[in-house]
Every structure is written in structure tokens, then in C-alpha cells.
Amino acid sequence: MTARTSVGRRELWRILQPLVWPRRRALAGVVLLFLARSLTVLATPILIGQLIDDVIGNAPQATWLVVGVLVVVALTGAVLAWLSARTLAVTVEPIFAELRETFVRSALMLPRSAFDATGGGDMLTRASEDITQLSEDMPSVLPRLLSITMSSVVIGIGLGTQDWRFLLTLVVVAPLLLLTLRWYLRVGPDTYASERNAQATRGRHLLDTFRAEATVRAYHVEKVQAERVRRAAWEHLRWALRTRIVQNVLMGRITFAEFSGLAAVLALGTWIAMSGDATVGTVTAAVLLFQQIMEPLSEFLTITDDLQSASSSLNRIAGIIEISRSEETDSSGSESRYDAEDAIAAGPDLVSLTGVGFAYPGGRPVLSGIDLRLPADGHVALVGATGSGKSTLALLIAGALRPGRGTRTATVADDRIISVTQETHVFAGTLRENLTLAAPGADDARILTALEELGAGNLVSDCPDGLDTRIGHDGHQLSPAAAQQLALARAHLARPDLLILDEATAEAGSADATGLDATARATIRGRAALVVAHRLTQAAECDHIVVLDRGRIVERGSHEELLALNGRYADLWQVWSANR
């Protein structure tokens, strides 16, 4: 599954409606303020035309009266411009804030398969650059768009009141502007969408390169990966340059349309004035009004460029939200079930898999015919060669993936199943905040007791400010072993009903392995656990061992039973023991 770069209008409105509709009265007030501001814009050219006629007609009293009214209109317009922009910002900014929250929540709720298919780099680009682009463009575009809409209508009416013939100039301008808009709508959206996609591809390659840096070096494919990044960067640059070309062509067409219209209104005004059908002030007012109406119309085409940029970002954000909602809808008919009644009855199995098969999109089957039960007490180990499907099976048990076929039944909610993998993350914040991430109610006494139970008191003692020490980015740096201890302690504090350790201590060096294994044993003590074992000594300590081979369960039983069977597990144990 790949996250869509755009969504339909109905889908987009379905996403925005809960954010916009509760603020409909405030938005209506904003429209009225912009309408009032447009009236002051209309009044200014008309008053200037009247002022010219009064000066020519040598009417000083009327002249000063018009000057006074002009000052009042200018001040009123300035106040309305400030008030309308401020009111719009106060009304709209919370909408963008809630949209960002909805996006992050939707991204975090995506099934693992959907997240992996989208790609970490693409997701990061949507969460950072697209959100930033939307936040920067929309607050500037919306006030201008409202002002343009109101001003164009009001000033167009005012131009007609001076002399209906002045409206004929729009016959010259309108086709030029419409052709420009038609050209831009044909070229612009696809160009911006392609530029955003190229940006996401570049981000994905960069992220994958840094994430897999050790693998890249190990296989000596630095040049290959660098070439991928180079091609992605140049592809993004190519589309970025094309967007600049589109912008420059747009500006040229707008300038030509404005010049043509101004020449037409000057010629028509001169003819009307020479025929005696209008005063000099009326012609001046008409010219100024035409400039006033051309300014918003030209600006509309200008902000269409910003609007397309923001729209492209909005559609990419909405694509993730829509996928998340689609997944929620699809999950109602999924073959992964949580039986609340069984949970109340505290049945013997927390999770059971029956005839489960799974394949990643576009790939071969990873698991086939899996029948497995996770009891409410005891520890189950998964053993198998690399690529046998252990981690995928762990994700299915955790509810992070849904079966492609077969049934997953759980008597415990998925949020009561916690997984700890070899990939740990230290969040920017204090040591306390990192430890209580999944247990926000835990006080210092509970934290220290938990660390003591796990034999991980060094986490606090090695930090200069104890639990108040800032760790993570730009903070105190934890060693890999300490980061893994942190992940295990975090899981312990959450008190899960089922704990899954997916090679949680695999990255430990020989000096840290013993201590981390002791912490892992203490973490699963007294609770149901699934252990994906990378050292067979860990499997030997579990109550039940399941052996996977090429996506199928080939053996199961206790350590002693499997050794007596003299099968696949016995072979693995013999090799493991010889290399210890």
C-alpha cells in the first residue's frame, strides 16, 4: 500500500469538516470584516475623482470635506485590514494546529504494513516539510484570497457606476486572465505534486542511507547508495526548477494582461471625456478603480501558485489521514479480533492464531499455516534462522500486523501488549519523561523501585542530574546498553498483560550481554511473555519453545523435549553450544 498524494473533494471535506464546522460563525464574521474592508477600498478612488472635480470647479469647502472623508476612510480601512487579518488568524490557526494533531495521530495509528509501505522517509517529509509548507502558505493565502474575492466584486460594481462603458474593458482583460488561469491549472498542480513526490523520494533515500549505515558499510555499497541519493536529489532539483519556470511564465502572463487592460481603460476614458460624457474626475476614478480591480485579479493568479503549493501539501497530509480511516473501517471486518467477553472471563490464552498466513505487499508468503496459542501465564520462545519469519510472527501476535489469511483472536486489548525490539529510541527529554512514557502516572518512588527490580539502577546513577537529566538529542548520551535498559524499564513500568521481547538484547556487546539478559529476565518475570530469542540460552529458560523454519512451525515443546526429539532445535542447540 502506498499513501496517496491526493484525495478527492469529498474525502478532503470529510477530514476538514469536523475542524471547520464548529467555527462557522467566527468564519462568517471574518467574511463580513473583509467585506467592510472592501467598501473602504471602493470608496477611495471615487472620493479621489470627486476631489479632482471639486478642485477644477474651484469649490474649496467641498474639497476640504472630501479630504476629511478620505482621511477617515483611510484610517477605517487600516483598522479593518488589521482587525480582519487578526480575526482570521485567530480563527484559522487552531484549525491548522488540530489538523497537525490529526495527522500525527493518524500516522501513529497506521498498521505497521501501511507505515512500512509508505516509507519512513516519505512519512517524515509529510510530517515536517509538508506541514511546514501548509502552515507558512495558508495563513498568508487565506486573507489575500478573501480580500481578493470581496474587492473584485465590490470594485467591479463601483466601476460600472462611473459609466457602464468602462465595464467593456473587462472584455479585453477577462479572456487573457481566464486563459492564463486555464494554462496554470493544467500545468501547475501536476508540477507541484511531482515536485513533492520527488522531495519525498529524496527524503526516503537519505533516511534509509543513515538508518542502514552499518549495513551499507558492511556490504561496501557506499557508492551504490550514494548514487541513489544523487539521482533522487537531481530529480527533485529538476522538478523544483520546473516549478520556478511555471512561476515565471505565470508572472509574465499576468503582467501582459494588466498592461492590456490599463491601455484599454485609458483609451476608453479619454474618448468618453473628450465626448463630454464624463468629467476628468470620473475618468480618473475609473482608471484608479480599474487598477484596484486588476490588482486583486492579478494577485489571485499570483496566490494560485502559493495555493497550489499549500494544496499539494494538504492533500499529502490528508492522504495519510484517509488511509488511517480506511484501515479503521477495514479492520471492522478483519480476521484479527479482540473478545472482550473472553477477557472478562480471563480465558487461558491471551492470543491465539489459527491457520494464519501473511505476506508483505508484493512479496512472497512469509508465514503459512501458523497455529499458536499464547497462554495467560508462562513464557514462549520463538526460535529459527534469520528470515524464518520470527519478527513478522511477533508483530502479528502484537496486533501490529493483520493476518493475510486465518484468524487472530485475543482476550487482551492490543494496547495491553507491549513489544521491545533491538531498535530502541531515546526521546529528547528527561530520563523521567522517557521512563514514564507508557506509564505517565508513575511517581519517582515507583520508578526507582522498578529500576531496582530490574537491576538497572545504573540508569539513574550514571546520569549527572539523576531522573532530571536531559537525554536524547543535545542531551546526555546513553550507551547502547543503557538505551536498551531504558526500553526494558519503560516496558516494565507499563505493566503489560503480554510482553514481547523481539531480540531485545541482540545489539549488546559481550561485556553488556550478561547484564542485559538479567534485566530482560527480570522484566518478564511474573507476566506472560513471548521471547524472540537470538541466543538459545534465552529460549532454554522459557516454558515452551516454538521453532520456525521458512515461515512454518516445524517443532514445539520444552527445551528438554526438543533436545530429546533430536530435530531442528537439537541441531541449532548443538551448533550454538559449540560456538559459545
Side-chain angles (χ1 to χ4, degrees):
M1 179 187 300
T2 301
R4 289 164 288 179
T5 58
S6 63
V7 294
R9 292 180 181 178
R10 291 183 179 179
E11 295 168 323
L12 186 58
W13 173 242
R14 188 165 61 247
I15 292 169
L16 295 178
Q17 190 267 343
L19 308 178
V20 174
W21 190 249
R23 298 178 174 89
R24 58 189 181 279
R25 292 184 180 179
L27 291 171
V30 171
V31 171
L32 291 176
L33 285 172
F34 274 96
L35 178 60
R37 163 73 176 123
S38 300
L39 292 174
T40 64
V41 173
L42 170 64
T44 301
I46 295 176
L47 288 171
I48 291 175
Q50 184 61 48
L51 179 64
I52 292 174
D53 285 340
D54 290 339
V55 171
I56 293 175
N58 195 23
Q61 186 174 0
T63 299
W64 287 111
L65 177 62
V66 173
V67 170
V69 174
L70 272 172
V71 171
V72 172
V73 168
L75 291 175
T76 303
V79 171
L80 288 173
W82 171 81
L83 185 60
S84 57
R86 181 183 181 280
T87 305
L88 180 64
V90 170
T91 305
V92 171
E93 284 296 342
I95 295 177
F96 295 132
E98 292 182 20
L99 181 63
R100 286 192 291 269
E101 293 175 6
T102 303
F103 170 79
V104 173
R105 184 166 56 251
S106 298
L108 293 176
M109 294 302 292
L110 279 178
R112 179 66 177 265
S113 56
F115 190 93
D116 290 342
T118 302
D122 181 68
M123 192 70 72
L124 183 63
T125 302
R126 294 174 194 252
S128 56
E129 297 182 13
D130 284 325
I131 289 284
T132 300
Q133 191 73 44
L134 183 64
S135 300
E136 290 178 351
D137 286 344
M138 279 302 188
S140 62
V141 167
L142 286 178
R144 293 158 66 191
L145 189 60
L146 274 173
S147 178
I148 288 167
T149 303
M150 296 298 175
S151 298
S152 299
V153 174
V154 172
I155 295 174
I157 295 173
L159 185 64
T161 60
Q162 299 302 299
D163 191 300
W164 68 268
R165 286 171 290 186
F166 284 120
L167 293 176
L168 295 176
T169 57
L170 297 179
V171 175
V172 176
V173 177
L176 295 176
L177 294 177
L178 288 175
L179 287 173
T180 300
L181 181 61
R182 181 183 176 185
W183 166 82
Y184 182 78
L185 292 178
R186 187 180 70 252
V187 175
D190 289 340
T191 302
Y192 274 102
S194 298
E195 192 266 341
R196 286 286 188 276
N197 289 335
Q199 186 180 61
T201 301
R202 182 194 63 179
R204 184 177 68 252
H205 284 306
L206 285 171
L207 187 64
D208 290 346
T209 297
F210 291 123
R211 276 182 171 175
E213 183 264 344
T215 303
V216 170
R217 291 181 184 274
Y219 286 92
H220 305 291
V221 291
E222 295 93 336
K223 292 184 178 180
V224 174
Q225 196 64 20
E227 178 62 20
R228 288 178 180 174
V229 174
R230 187 193 70 81
R231 286 199 303 266
W234 277 100
E235 181 68 8
H236 174 246
L237 177 62
R238 184 172 74 87
W239 283 108
L241 289 174
R242 185 163 183 178
T243 61
R244 300 300 178 270
I245 293 172
V246 170
Q247 292 169 1
N248 291 336
V249 173
L250 177 64
M251 292 300 102
R253 292 193 174 201
I254 290 173
T255 301
F256 178 74
E258 188 172 358
F259 172 79
S260 300
L262 185 59
V265 77
L266 283 172
L268 180 60
T270 301
W271 176 70
I272 293 175
M274 292 181 66
S275 65
D277 293 335
T279 64
V280 175
T282 298
V283 175
T284 303
V287 172
L288 292 176
L289 283 170
F290 179 81
Q291 287 182 313
Q292 291 277 27
I293 200 172
M294 277 303 302
E295 181 179 346
L297 289 176
S298 300
E299 189 178 8
F300 171 73
L301 292 178
T302 303
I303 68 167
T304 300
D305 189 67
D306 294 333
L307 195 60
Q308 285 298 332
S309 177
S311 177
S312 179
S313 296
L314 177 60
N315 278 323
R316 283 171 52 79
I317 294 167
I320 294 296
I321 298 173
E322 185 61 24
I323 286 177
S324 178
R325 292 184 175 182
S326 299
E327 291 291 339
E328 290 178 6
T329 301
D330 293 343
S331 67
S332 62
S334 170
E335 297 182 41
S336 178
R337 304 195 304 271
Y338 164 52
D339 294 337
E341 294 181 0
D342 288 346
I344 295 174
D349 298 327
L350 295 178
V351 178
S352 64
L353 304 179
T354 304
V356 164
F358 182 83
Y360 290 99
R364 62 178 180 78
V366 178
L367 297 171
S368 301
I370 298 295
D371 294 318
L372 181 62
R373 295 185 297 175
L374 273 295
D377 56 358
H379 304 151
V380 176
L382 286 181
V383 172
T386 300
S388 59
K390 300 188 301 295
S391 293
T392 300
L393 181 53
L395 289 170
L396 283 165
I397 292 170
L401 295 177
R402 292 203 299 272
R405 63 179 58 184
T407 303
R408 172 188 181 270
T409 303
T411 61
V412 57
D414 288 347
D415 59 5
R416 297 299 304 155
I417 303 174
I418 289 183
S419 299
V420 180
T421 70
Q422 59 184 316
E423 296 179 0
T424 60
H425 186 79
V426 179
F427 293 89
T430 65
L431 177 60
R432 180 187 294 102
E433 290 169 341
N434 270 266
L435 286 167
T436 59
L437 185 67
D443 57 18
D444 288 1
R446 180 180 161 192
I447 294 172
L448 296 175
T449 299
L451 292 177
E452 183 179 349
E453 292 172 350
L454 300 180
N458 58 289
L459 269 178
V460 178
S461 60
D462 290 347
C463 289
D465 298 319
L467 291 174
D468 293 319
T469 303
R470 294 196 65 81
I471 58 178
H473 183 65
D474 292 337
H476 177 73
Q477 297 300 306
L478 300 182
S479 67
Q484 198 67 54
Q485 277 186 318
L486 172 65
L488 291 168
R490 185 188 291 152
H492 182 58
L493 282 165
R495 297 174 177 172
D497 294 327
L498 174 61
L499 179 60
I500 298 176
L501 301 185
D502 185 358
E503 299 189 353
T505 60
E507 295 298 315
S510 57
D512 301 314
T514 301
L516 270 180
D517 281 346
T519 302
R521 282 195 297 271
T523 305
I524 65 175
R525 186 182 299 124
R527 59 170 53 100
L530 174 71
V531 179
V532 179
H534 63 285
R535 288 190 284 271
L536 289 189
T537 48
Q538 296 172 320
E541 296 172 352
C542 292
D543 305 305
H544 191 77
I545 301 172
V546 176
V547 183
L548 283 178
D549 185 30
R550 298 180 182 179
R552 293 182 177 273
I553 296 177
V554 294
E555 293 176 0
R556 63 179 82 206
S558 67
H559 173 69
E560 292 76 14
E561 290 170 345
L562 292 178
L563 286 181
L565 190 62
N566 201 27
R568 177 66 174 159
Y569 179 79
D571 292 340
L572 291 172
W573 180 261
Q574 184 177 2
V575 173
W576 165 260
S577 300
N579 292 322
R580 291 177 63 181

